[in-house]
């Protein structure tokens, strides 16, 4: 047992899918895994282990924001020996041609959080996807005929920005979309030398102000989960 996960050693697979929402974790486990068993209910942050094509895979809710995913990824890696962490999240588009329901593979994650300020003392670490997982995700998407976009994203500490134009400086530098966890996940994975990748489905657009319905989101999340499981 770790502080935030009440699983026994061996209950969690070496590969874990990480949605922010614990109910999405439940949906993924029940929809895509064979014989899913819940191993965590601390704080309602559900985690399940089952098999996919005979191979053990876990899915763990992370909550929202860098501090929350930092806690879960740290414990999964250091207390349960997890080697591969694949975030499956939602994101807001920063670009006109990144449309709702599109899937983004996060090559790197800029951020407005301060988690690397102290360890790097004013210098800049670039949180980056594991190259092998990144290439595998693009290949899996191609084989499944699922179109994806890949590039830099923003991990933000702020969901409700006061300035509606805040996104524009990031958009100008090619940042594709905004979410709230990936820079922390990539930093922690690098620190402990394990593999991490974020797959994101665009749920709304900061540019056009469109938004998906929950039904539509579920269908598009299907494709993102298929890619994640293909590289698990
Ligand atoms: O859908 P999830 O994985 O939670 O991801 C996005 O949704 C939440 C905000 O609504 C943040 O956690 C953000 O990163
Ligand atoms: O963090 C997020 C996630 C989805 N949509 C947003 O606008 N921001």
């Amino acid at each position: 047992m770790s502080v935030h996960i009440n699983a026994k050693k061996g209950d969690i697979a070496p590969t874990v899918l990480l949605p922010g929402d614990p109910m999405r974790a439940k949906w993924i486990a029940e929809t895509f895994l064979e014989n899913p068993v819940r191993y965590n209910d601390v704080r309602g942050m559900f985690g399940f282990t089952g098999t996919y094509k005979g191979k053990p895979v876990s899915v763990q809710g992370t909550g929202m924001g860098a501090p929350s995913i930092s806690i879960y990824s740290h414990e999964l890696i250091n207390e349960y020996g997890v080697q591969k962490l694949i975030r499956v999240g939602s994101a807001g588009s920063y670009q006109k041609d990144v449309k709702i329901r599109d899937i983004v593979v996060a090559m790197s994650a800029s951020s407005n959080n301060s988690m690397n300020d102290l360890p790097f003392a004013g210098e800049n670490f670039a949180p980056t996807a594991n190259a092998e997982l990144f290439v595998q995700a693009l290949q899996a998407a191609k084989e499944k005929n699922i179109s994806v976009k890949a590039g830099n994203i923003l991990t933000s500490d702020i969901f409700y920005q006061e300035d509606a134009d805040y996104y524009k400086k990031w958009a100008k530098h090619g940042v594709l979309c905004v979410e709230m966890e990936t820079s922390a996940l990539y930093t922690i994975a690098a620190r402990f030398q394990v593999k991490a990748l974020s797959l994101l489905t665009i749920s709304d657009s900061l540019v056009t102000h469109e938004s998906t319905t929950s039904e539509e989101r579920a269908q598009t999340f299907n494709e993102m989960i298929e890619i994640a499981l293909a590289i698990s």
Side-chain angles (χ1 to χ4, degrees):
M1 290 218 329
S2 59
V3 176
H4 302 92
I5 303 175
N6 57 356
K8 296 191 297 297
K9 298 265 183 216
D11 283 352
I12 303 179
T15 296
V16 182
L17 270 51
L18 302 168
D21 180 355
M23 294 310 289
R24 193 182 314 141
K26 184 171 184 283
W27 172 75
I28 293 168
E30 288 172 355
T31 311
F32 295 91
L33 300 185
E34 296 110 29
N35 306 314
V37 175
R38 195 179 73 197
Y39 62 74
N40 189 47
D41 60 0
V42 177
R43 292 174 182 249
M45 200 57 73
F46 301 131
F48 302 83
T49 299
T51 57
Y52 177 73
K53 296 189 175 171
K55 192 176 164 185
V57 175
S58 297
V59 52
Q60 170 67 55
T62 65
M64 292 184 278
S68 192
I69 197 168
S70 298
I71 289 171
Y72 290 102
S73 52
H74 184 103
E75 291 183 16
L76 288 169
I77 296 163
N78 292 294
E79 307 280 345
Y80 296 98
V82 171
Q83 294 292 310
K84 207 188 271 187
L85 300 99
I86 305 170
R87 171 163 152 69
V88 283
S90 63
S93 172
Y94 272 8
Q95 302 286 344
K96 223 173 166 180
D97 65 348
V98 177
K99 301 191 187 312
I100 55 169
R101 298 183 287 273
D102 280 358
I103 296 172
V104 170
V105 186
M107 188 161 71
S108 53
S110 302
S111 82
N112 57 20
N113 67 49
S114 58
M115 77 172 273
N116 286 330
D117 291 0
L118 206 57
F120 289 95
E123 297 181 299
N124 295 311
F125 172 74
T128 310
N130 173 263
E132 194 184 326
L133 278 186
F134 179 76
V135 170
Q136 284 173 355
L138 298 188
Q139 279 168 348
K142 200 171 174 192
E143 277 161 25
K144 290 173 181 299
N145 216 12
I146 300 171
S147 129
V148 297
K149 294 191 164 64
N152 193 10
I153 66 155
L154 175 67
T155 295
S156 178
D157 267 359
I158 302 164
F159 184 85
Y160 295 111
Q161 284 289 349
E162 211 176 340
D163 175 8
D165 288 337
Y166 172 82
Y167 80 93
K168 288 185 177 166
K169 68 180 174 197
W170 298 100
K172 188 176 162 191
H173 289 80
V175 168
L176 300 178
C177 61
V178 60
E179 52 82 87
M180 301 178 73
E181 292 83 17
T182 297
S183 72
L185 175 65
Y186 286 0
T187 299
I188 285 177
R191 185 172 304 153
F192 296 112
Q193 294 168 36
V194 299
K195 297 175 182 176
L197 180 71
S198 277
L199 301 172
L200 304 164
T201 297
I202 300 299
S203 55
D204 56 280
S205 170
L206 281 287
V207 185
T208 64
H209 306 290
E210 290 167 283
S211 180
T212 51
T213 65
S214 49
E215 249 174 30
E216 283 174 312
R217 281 180 211 190
Q219 277 168 17
T220 323
F221 281 166
N222 265 333
E223 294 190 328
M224 173 172 68
I225 306 305
E226 278 176 33
I227 298 171
L229 287 169
I231 62 169
S232 65

